[in-house]
Amino acid sequence: MKKLAALIASASMFATSAAATPAVATATVNFRSGPGTGYGSFGNIQEGSPLDVSECDASGAWCTVKFLGRDGFVNGKYINRTEPDTPPWPRSFMPGNSATLTLFQPQFTDWPAFTELKASDAAKPIYGVISVSGKTVAHDDTNQVVITDIKATQVDFSTLDRKELTDLALEVRKLMPTGPITVSQERLADSLPTSTSRPAPTGGIVVLGRSFPNETNTGVPDDLKSSLTPYTGSCTITAADVKIDRKVITCDQLRLLGPNTAITNSIIIGTVHSDCCYLNGSYSLTDSEVRGPDSTATVVGEARFKLLRVEVSGGSRSVNCNTTCEIRDSYIHGQYGDKRGIDHESGIRQDAHGTFVHNTISCDAIAYPNPTGGEGSGCSAAVSGYGDFGTVNNNTFTDNLIESREGLTGQAASSYCVYGGSTTGKPYPNAHHIVFTDNIFRRGGMGKCGIYGPVTSFDSNAEGSLWQSNVWDDGATVPPAN
């Protein structure tokens, strides 16, 4: 048995009994202290919320359930048992004061998560941070981690008055588990930042005392570049668990259609692609460079991929995250300038389920006029997202440097630095769960990052969306709308 350090979780957690069965509330249902309407109520469990069912009486009228760490009873009529792998988050709870508390999935780091307190359906959501601490002990024989002494260490909602904040803190304490909880070591490890043998980037671009990636601390390490050899394999990989290390890969499009391709310490000359809807390809690029063409192209895309300390340049769109991607400690820049005056370039296109942490995201393509009239070429945004083909959702941007550099005309290269996904006039304009926290925006030559401003089409009232602690490179606050 080994000791682990104390942890910070981003929301309260719960223990699942060995005999419990995952289920979902099929309607907003009263959560009672006993099996009947005569017993006291803990509050309402919202429709669609996951819970765990231990047992039901003979008639199925009342079931013993666990929800957000509390044991109670729910009318069995409003329970639908689900498969064990049903995602258990987010969880909504109505604690009895006409507010709705939504807890998002815990993260086992000092990584803020966000809790929504909404007074009524018509009211605007109020966002803040709930931090939870606990002590952990890992049991290698069972591959489990036991967490004890769970308590809320911070309830921070800056827009609430003192009474409202006190009331909320009391409700949060009621939801804390009273006994130890158990999670697998794999779950805890998956929640931590990606672990590698290489230290976190240092040097690079320093803004407000914080270091961000550039060409000096991303890509193939200098001491390995002389050992790279040409890649002679296929440009289409369908096998599983393929590993490629220290290669120069020259493919117009490297198609990674098999699961778990891992490319390390390599230079890719061309583009990299895993299809969103064909087969089930997934891949990771680590300590590598992707040099896209000097033409219209998405350089890295589009589904189920991870980039760690990767430098991406060239093409008209550096990265397209159609679904399920993670980019950390990487340098996105150097899009090509379209001399025809047609293409609109971008750094990262966000669609769904993307995590973007500690990157430099730049759109610096030179802008050229359109000889036949019109607006010409140039960057749309360092981070784009429009709702053209589906709803933009569940994307998180944390601790990134977001910038637009000067174009040929002397103006900022991008129209905006960020499109938040809720673009009016698009087929799918209602983005949700879009989170921007602790990012730095560079002002650039026009003083506002993009030609028109730092951000557009971000809906602060959308479910699960949050704009918090984003600042200019001089420390001033960047608002969520221009």
Side-chain angles (χ1 to χ4, degrees):
M1 183 160 54
K2 60 185 179 183
K3 294 282 185 179
L4 296 181
L7 59 87
I8 298 294
S10 62
S12 61
M13 298 170 288
F14 71 101
T16 301
S17 167
T21 302
V24 171
T26 60
T28 298
V29 60
N30 214 309
F31 189 28
R32 297 190 177 277
S33 59
T37 57
Y39 287 86
S41 174
F42 297 134
N44 291 334
I45 299 175
Q46 301 299 294
E47 180 180 356
S49 295
L51 43 84
D52 299 298
V53 180
S54 297
E55 59 182 356
C56 298
D57 61 22
S59 66
W62 291 96
C63 298
T64 305
V65 304
K66 185 180 288 292
F67 180 72
L68 292 177
R70 187 191 290 273
D71 293 310
F73 294 81
V74 168
N75 191 324
K77 176 181 177 181
Y78 303 111
I79 293 176
N80 180 31
R81 293 174 188 258
T82 61
E83 294 299 324
D85 60 351
T86 299
W89 304 95
R91 292 172 173 248
S92 295
F93 185 71
M94 186 176 290
N97 60 358
S98 299
T100 298
L101 189 66
T102 302
L103 302 180
F104 291 84
Q105 180 171 353
Q107 304 293 332
F108 293 88
T109 69
D110 189 12
W111 177 5
F114 312 102
T115 306
E116 175 183 337
L117 183 65
K118 189 164 58 175
S120 69
D121 291 339
K124 294 183 178 180
I126 302 170
Y127 294 100
V129 177
I130 296 178
S131 297
V132 179
S133 68
K135 297 179 181 178
T136 64
V137 175
H139 297 266
D140 292 331
D141 53 342
T142 61
N143 202 36
Q144 300 291 317
V145 176
V146 178
I147 306 173
T148 58
D149 297 336
I150 301 162
K151 62 185 69 175
T153 57
Q154 179 190 21
V155 179
D156 185 4
F157 288 73
S158 59
T159 58
L160 297 182
D161 63 30
R162 180 174 298 179
K163 182 181 183 305
E164 291 170 328
L165 189 58
T166 300
D167 290 344
L168 174 62
L170 289 172
E171 296 297 344
V172 169
R173 282 195 286 271
K174 292 178 183 177
L175 298 178
M176 291 294 107
T178 57
I181 66 171
T182 303
V183 295
S184 68
Q185 292 190 28
E186 287 81 3
R187 178 182 171 193
L188 189 150
D190 287 345
S191 297
L192 292 170
T194 305
S195 60
T196 67
S197 58
R198 188 176 173 188
T202 57
I205 304 170
V206 178
V207 182
L208 295 178
R210 294 156 61 182
S211 173
F212 294 94
N214 65 5
E215 68 279 358
T216 69
N217 51 21
T218 59
V220 180
D222 290 340
D223 58 351
L224 296 182
K225 286 183 178 178
S226 62
S227 65
L228 270 57
T229 59
Y231 171 74
T232 58
S234 173
C235 290
T236 299
I237 296 176
T238 57
D241 303 316
V242 173
K243 296 185 183 337
I244 300 172
D245 183 57
R246 303 191 190 188
K247 297 295 181 183
V248 177
I249 304 169
T250 303
C251 293
D252 288 341
Q253 184 180 72
L254 180 63
R255 302 180 72 219
L256 303 178
L257 305 181
N260 304 320
T261 300
I263 299 176
T264 54
N265 304 307
S266 295
I267 296 173
I268 301 170
I269 302 173
T271 65
V272 186
H273 175 84
S274 61
D275 198 276
C276 70
C277 314
Y278 174 68
L279 297 180
N280 194 34
S282 62
Y283 66 90
S284 64
L285 306 180
T286 303
D287 298 326
S288 296
E289 302 166 26
V290 187
R291 303 174 182 175
D294 191 23
S295 61
T296 306
T298 295
V299 182
V300 176
E302 69 183 270
R304 299 174 298 278
F305 62 87
K306 295 182 179 182
L307 307 184
L308 177 63
R309 295 187 299 271
V310 175
E311 180 180 3
V312 181
S313 60
S316 54
R317 180 190 295 135
S318 300
V319 177
N320 178 31
C321 177
N322 179 270
T323 183
T324 316
C325 64
E326 179 180 335
I327 304 177
R328 294 178 182 268
D329 302 333
S330 294
Y331 184 33
I332 312 298
H333 74 113
Q335 300 80 17
Y336 97 109
D338 180 15
K339 295 181 180 180
R340 302 170 302 164
I342 298 174
D343 281 347
H344 293 169
E345 296 86 356
S346 60
I348 291 177
R349 166 105 180 217
Q350 56 161 327
D351 280 325
H353 300 284
T355 300
F356 311 93
V357 179
H358 192 246
N359 307 289
T360 297
I361 308 171
S362 175
C363 197
D364 50 15
I366 293 176
Y368 290 92
N370 189 322
T372 62
E375 57 186 343
S377 65
C379 290
S380 295
V383 177
S384 63
Y386 307 117
D388 285 319
F389 309 108
T391 300
V392 180
N393 69 92
N394 289 281
N395 298 312
T396 300
F397 293 81
T398 305
D399 188 27
N400 299 285
L401 176 63
I402 301 173
E403 63 179 8
S404 170
R405 297 182 184 172
E406 299 306 298
L408 184 66
T409 63
Q411 295 180 326
S414 296
S415 295
Y416 295 91
C417 270
V418 167
Y419 277 81
S422 296
T423 305
T424 58
K426 295 293 185 180
Y428 303 91
N430 299 316
H432 59 87
H433 292 89
I434 308 301
V435 175
F436 280 81
T437 60
D438 204 29
N439 301 287
I440 294 179
F441 287 72
R442 268 189 163 173
R443 286 190 181 275
M446 296 196 70
K448 47 189 178 181
C449 201
I451 295 172
Y452 305 111
V455 58
T456 186
S457 305
F458 181 87
D459 184 359
S460 297
N461 296 320
E463 180 183 1
S465 292
L466 176 69
W467 186 276
Q468 179 175 281
S469 301
N470 300 298
V471 298
W472 292 108
D473 52 1
D474 58 10
T477 298
V478 176
N482 297 299

